[in-house]
Amino acid sequence: MTPDTTPDTTKVAVIYYSSTGTVHELARCVAEGAEKTGAEVRLLRVAELAPQAAIASNPAWAGHAAATRDVPEASADDVLWADAVIFGSPTRFGNVSSQLKQFLDTLGGPWSQGLLADKVYSGFTASSTAHGGQESTLLALYVTIHHFGGIIVGPGYTDPVKFADGNPYGTGHVSGDLDRPIEETTRAAARFQGGRVVRIATALRAGLTR
């Protein structure tokens, strides 16, 4: 997304799964925050696993699939390229979606070579209900990051927007029955999270190259 970067530019991959578009919109805000903080950003979706019949039966799902067909699909090479990876997933019974989990499971080769370690990682999510498992979804994601040997950078309560957004583990949105738009507070929290990840990743890179 960012043109005219230099070899010293921090590289960020925002890798997400979204069925009806909510997490996609959050991903765009996270990417915007990372980009504005000086990073080179790749906005990427993971592969869809659901059968076409299931997608076609839901107009919102089918519409979003068509609208984002040109978004590049993530690969292991994108994770290896990045200094920081920010994962996004809707909440599925208090856990990450099967689509994102499948992508994570394809990273066994790079993991076994130690190539996923020492990178910065973070996550964001959305659910249809106010207590629908957003925190457990992000904590479950972060269990995987511990196995990578990654450095988890959550937003915490390190900016006033987080006291309004309310989730120290990562940005989250309650979509309701797909009729609750993402508010500016949540968008600001997502942009802040992207920027914070870049600042920490950049500082770590500077320390490692001294």
Side-chain angles (χ1 to χ4, degrees), residues 113-208:
Q113 301 173 60
L115 300 177
L116 306 182
D118 302 330
K119 296 177 182 288
V120 166
Y121 297 88
S122 197
F124 57 97
T125 189
S127 61
S128 60
T129 58
H131 299 284
Q134 291 189 13
E135 292 182 358
S136 64
T137 295
L138 293 172
L139 290 172
L141 170 65
Y142 294 159
V143 168
T144 299
I145 304 311
H146 283 301
H147 283 258
F148 288 175
I151 301 163
I152 298 170
V153 174
Y157 292 106
T158 57
D159 185 89
V161 74
K162 292 307 299 177
F163 289 92
D165 162 73
N167 189 338
Y169 303 99
T171 305
H173 172 66
V174 178
S175 63
D177 200 12
L178 297 181
D179 58 356
R180 191 174 300 167
I182 301 174
E183 297 178 351
E184 179 53 34
T185 295
T186 304
R187 293 179 184 274
R191 289 191 288 265
F192 168 73
Q193 183 173 359
R196 175 170 163 79
V197 166
V198 173
R199 288 189 291 273
I200 299 299
T202 301
L204 288 170
R205 289 178 65 240
L208 290 172

Side-chain angles (χ1 to χ4, degrees), residues 17 19 47-58 61-62 65 98-99:
Y17 173 73
S19 56
E48 179 61 82
L49 302 179
Q52 186 58 41
I55 298 171
S57 69
N58 183 326
W61 196 352
S98 59
Q99 290 86 348

Side-chain angles (χ1 to χ4, degrees), residues 8 16 54 64 81 87 122 184 190:
D8 293 331
Y16 73 93
H64 179 67
W81 164 85
F87 290 113
S122 197
E184 179 53 34

